[in-house]
Every structure is written in structure tokens, then in C-alpha cells.
């Protein structure tokens, strides 16, 4: 379940009182391990997701950032010029030792009971923070660079693609059994611009990772991706994450159709899908949650489906509703095979 560890859990809230800095919680091995395992101990999911942040590797690439508890990420030196590009460095993996240490400890703890998932931010999404200097609702600066400084933006995206691929492989080396690529802000681009400014760099991340770890599955998720389903299907990802605003049956048909129509598509294995229960339904009754799960499963079909929310768990979600989600999922079976894993 996306964002399965976090602010909705009482155990996390108590820990946060003792350790109020998000950077401390996400960059200290003991705290990462504890937070990561909180939902595993409480709900018994099939997959355990490393507690981290998509911005975590930026410091190790020469892009310092801070997390303001009210404003969110802050980058004091945005990258908008050729001169600013000179500050970028290859990712220094020794600065990310806490990721390596945490993954190894978690893998040892859960071995044989659940899969361990790592994740990275997609280049376009990371670039939005690097260019805008933090969070934004308009994306005017980075979208402006598409027209005013395309070469600078391409250089930034290529650098991010190369180093994020290295970071993803680093996670697999440390024990991650699956990598999720989050293009959180990819849906803010018109589809033709996503083709030019997001997709090629996602392909680069996945292809570089697959060269080092060809059997490790990759999940690609883009928020607001209703206009991108066909495009996401041809990135090299093994699983396409579907948000809650898309009908799962439509998403499945569009993904299958796009893959089949691609060069050599008839020879390629069918892609799996992940999602896409509306996170808000977890505020409703147990019957409503069960109904939403059943409808999602029926529309996804009887194979290649990772049942999940269509986005992360919302703050304030009742823990008993999350537990019901997992318990209901584990109780479902098709005539010949169980429903696929319920968490990634």
C-alpha cells in the first residue's frame, strides 16, 4: 500500500514527537527500520516499502535541500542555468549508507514473509523540485525552461536519469526486491510534452537498472496519468500503477492495447497493473471498503494485478480501515488462483 508507513499511524506520531525532524527520521538507520516495519507489524502486508523520500539522494548529487515542516522541500539554489549545472556531481553512494544499512536490516527481519520494495523519483519529478526550488502548484518555472532553456533542462534531466538509475541499482544491491519509479508530477505535463520531457528519461532509468538487475521488477506510477496510460506501457516497466481517477478496466485495456501495438508487442509478456482503490474510501464503512476492493479486483482481471490504493494513504485515515483493507484482500480468491499481492 502506497505510503503505508506514516502520519496516519499512532506509532509513527509518537515516534515523530521524539524525533521531529523528517530528515532525521528518513536518514537515520534505526529510525528508518522502525518506521518501515510499523505497518508490517500492524497489518501484515505482502510487501514492505522502505521509509524514505524521493528527494533523499539529491544531497549526494550536489543538490542540497531542506525539509520545512510547514512548506515541505526547500532548495535554496535552484538549477536554472548552465552555471548552476556545474554544481551537479555523480551520486556519492557513501553518503547514502543509511539506505544500504536499512535495506539490509529490513530484508533480514522480513525474509520469507514479505517482499522488500525500494523506490526512486522519476527525473522530471525530481527536476521540478530542483528548478522550482521546492513544491509548486503551477510549475511555471520548469515549464518555462522547456521554451527558454531547453538545453539546460535536458542536461539536468539526463544527469538525474543516470544517477537515479545508479541509486536504484544500489537499493537492489542492498536487498530491495522491486523498485518503484514515481513520476509524481508527470501528469502535470500535456501528453506530447511528457513524451519529450519525461518518458525518455524514465526509459533511461529503467533500462540502466535492467542492465544491472534484469530480473528485478519495476513499477511505474504517475499521478494524474489518465492521459498517459498508453505511453507508460512502453517505458520498459513491468507494472503500471493506476491512480483512482481511472477506471481499472479501461486502464487494463489501454495498457494491453498499447503494448500489443508497439514494435514486437505481440511477443512481449502482458504487463501487470497496480491499484487503484480511491484512498478516500478508507474513511467510509467496512462494507464500502469491501465493495470498492471487489469492484477493483473484478475490473483488473484474474492475473497480473497488485491490489493497492490509487495513491498514498491519507493523513487521518483510521488504522482499522487499513487493517480491513489488508484482511479483505487476503480473503479473496479466484477459482484457480489467489488475488495477486496486496501491497506495493
Amino acid at each position: 500500500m502506497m505510503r503505508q508507513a506514516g502520519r496516519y499511524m499512532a506509532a509513527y506520531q509518537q515516534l515523530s514527537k521524539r524525533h521531529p525532524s523528517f530528515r532525521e527520521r528518513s536518514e537515520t538507520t534505526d529510525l528508518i527500520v522502525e518506521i518501515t516495519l510499523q505497518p508490517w507489524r500492524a497489518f501484515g502486508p505482502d510487501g514492505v516499502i522502505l521509509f524514505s523520500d524521493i528527494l533523499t539522494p539529491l544531497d549526494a548529487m550536489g543538490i542540497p535541500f531542506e525539509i520545512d515542516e510547514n512548506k515541505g522541500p526547500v532548495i535554496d539554489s535552484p538549477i536554472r542555468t548552465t552555471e548552476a549545472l556545474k554544481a551537479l556531481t555523480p551520486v556519492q553512494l557513501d553518503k547514502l549508507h543509511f539506505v544500504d544499512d536499512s535495506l539490509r536490516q529490513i530484508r533480514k527481519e522480513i525474509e520469507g514473509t514479505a517482499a522488500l520494495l525500494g523506490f526512486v523519483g522519476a527525473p522530471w519529478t525530481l527536476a521540478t523540485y530542483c528548478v522550482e526550488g521546492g513544491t509548486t502548484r503551477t510549475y511555471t518555472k520548469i515549464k518555462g525552461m522547456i521554451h527558454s532553456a531547453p538545453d539546460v533542462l535536458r542536461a539536468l534531466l539526463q544527469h538525474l536519469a543516470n544517477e537515479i538509475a545508479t541509486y536504484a541499482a544500489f537499493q537492489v544491491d542492498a536487498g530491495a526486491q522491486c523498485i518503484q519509479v514515481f513520476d509524481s508530477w508527470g501528469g502535470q505535463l500535456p501528453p506530447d510534452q511528457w513524451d519529450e520531457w519525461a518518458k525518455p528519461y524514465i526509459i533511461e532509468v529503467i533500462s540502466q537498472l535492467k542492465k544491472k538487475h534484469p530480473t528485478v521488477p519495476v513499477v511505474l506510477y504517475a499521478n494524474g496519468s489518465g492521459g498517459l496510460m498508453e505511453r507508460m506501457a512502453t517505458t520498459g516497466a513491468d507494472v503500471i500503477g493506476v491512480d483512482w481517477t481511472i477506471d481499472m478496466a479501461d486502464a487494463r485495456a489501454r495498457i494491453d492495447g498499447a503494448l500489443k501495438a508497439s514494435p514486437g508487442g505481440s511477443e512481449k509478456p502482458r504487463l501487470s497493473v497496480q491499484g487503484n482503490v480511491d484512498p478516500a474510501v478508507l474513511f467510509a464503512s467496512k462494507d464500502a471498503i469491501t465493495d470498492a476492493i471487489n469492484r477493483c479486483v473484478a475490473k483488473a482481471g484474474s492475473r497480473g494485478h497488485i491490489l493497492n490504493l490509487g495513491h498514498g494513504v491519507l493523513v487521518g485515515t483510521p488504522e482499522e480501515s487499513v487493517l480491513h483493507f489488508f484482511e479483505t484482500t487476503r480473503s479473496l480468491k479466484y477459482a484457480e488462483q489467489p488475488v495477486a499481492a496486496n501491497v506495493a
Side-chain angles (χ1 to χ4, degrees):
M1 181 179 285
M2 286 190 285
R3 213 177 284 159
Q4 65 185 21
R7 290 177 290 172
Y8 74 98
M9 293 192 71
Y12 179 84
Q13 294 166 17
Q14 291 299 317
L15 184 146
S16 296
K17 290 177 181 178
R18 301 192 303 273
H19 304 279
S21 166
F22 179 82
R23 290 289 299 269
E24 180 191 8
R25 295 193 298 272
S26 62
E27 297 181 14
T28 304
T29 299
D30 290 347
L31 298 179
I32 295 169
V33 172
E34 173 60 25
I35 295 168
T36 299
L37 293 178
Q38 284 175 350
W40 178 68
R41 291 169 177 148
F43 312 123
D46 296 336
V48 172
I49 306 170
L50 178 72
F51 180 75
S52 187
D53 193 88
I54 60 172
L55 301 186
T56 293
L58 291 187
D59 256 344
M61 298 180 199
I63 309 171
F65 72 96
E66 297 296 335
I67 300 289
D68 185 287
E69 297 299 322
N70 297 312
K71 296 179 181 179
V74 176
I75 295 176
D76 288 329
S77 301
I79 301 173
R80 302 170 188 162
T81 65
T82 302
E83 185 66 24
L85 289 172
K86 295 177 182 178
L88 301 179
T89 67
V91 61
Q92 300 174 61
L93 296 175
D94 59 310
K95 291 186 175 181
L96 299 167
H97 61 88
F98 51 87
V99 173
D100 180 283
D101 295 341
S102 298
L103 284 167
R104 293 181 189 279
Q105 289 188 34
I106 296 164
R107 179 69 180 271
K108 185 177 180 180
E109 178 75 17
I110 68 172
E111 190 67 53
T113 66
L116 177 56
L117 293 81
F119 66 90
V120 296
W124 168 264
T125 287
L126 293 178
T128 65
Y129 291 102
C130 296
V131 171
E132 299 284 344
T135 57
T136 178
R137 294 183 178 181
T138 60
Y139 306 89
T140 53
K141 293 183 176 63
I142 189 166
K143 286 186 175 183
M145 284 183 68
I146 289 175
H147 308 287
S148 65
D151 291 344
V152 174
L153 184 54
R154 287 193 183 95
L156 173 60
L157 289 165
Q158 187 60 61
H159 181 82
L160 290 169
N162 292 339
E163 304 315 314
I164 287 300
T166 298
Y167 178 53
F170 171 74
Q171 292 184 45
V172 176
D173 290 337
Q177 295 163 288
C178 173
I179 293 293
Q180 300 181 98
V181 179
F182 288 106
D183 197 13
S184 305
W185 310 129
Q188 298 297 321
L189 286 169
D192 61 330
Q193 289 190 346
W194 192 83
D195 283 341
E196 182 175 359
W197 297 99
K199 182 176 181 178
Y201 304 100
I202 291 172
I203 291 173
E204 192 73 24
V205 170
I206 295 173
S207 63
Q208 288 189 39
L209 173 61
K210 291 284 190 177
K211 286 178 183 178
K212 296 179 181 178
H213 298 286
T215 63
V216 170
V218 175
V219 180
L220 173 61
Y221 175 87
N223 194 31
S225 57
L228 305 175
M229 287 285 99
E230 293 85 355
R231 291 163 163 83
M232 293 169 67
T234 53
T235 56
D238 304 289
V239 182
I240 304 301
V242 181
D243 75 27
W244 77 98
T245 65
I246 310 168
D247 183 90
M248 180 57 91
D250 290 346
R252 170 71 90 179
R254 290 169 60 189
I255 291 166
D256 287 350
L259 187 66
K260 187 175 181 180
S262 67
S266 60
E267 308 297 324
K268 296 176 182 176
R270 188 185 191 197
L271 296 179
S272 296
V273 291
Q274 174 179 284
N276 72 333
V277 175
D278 184 352
V281 81
L282 295 182
F283 289 88
S285 67
K286 289 185 178 180
D287 286 345
I289 296 169
T290 300
D291 180 62
I293 290 171
N294 286 334
R295 284 187 284 108
C296 179
V297 169
K299 290 186 175 187
S302 60
R303 61 179 297 275
H305 177 212
I306 302 172
L307 182 61
N308 203 331
L309 299 179
H311 198 266
V313 183
L314 299 172
V315 176
T317 297
E319 291 187 47
E320 56 268 26
S321 295
V322 176
L323 178 61
H324 180 71
F325 183 97
F326 285 115
E327 289 179 338
T328 301
T329 301
R330 282 191 287 267
S331 73
L332 297 177
K333 292 186 180 295
Y334 289 108
E336 297 181 351
Q337 65 182 48
V339 175
N342 60 15
V343 291

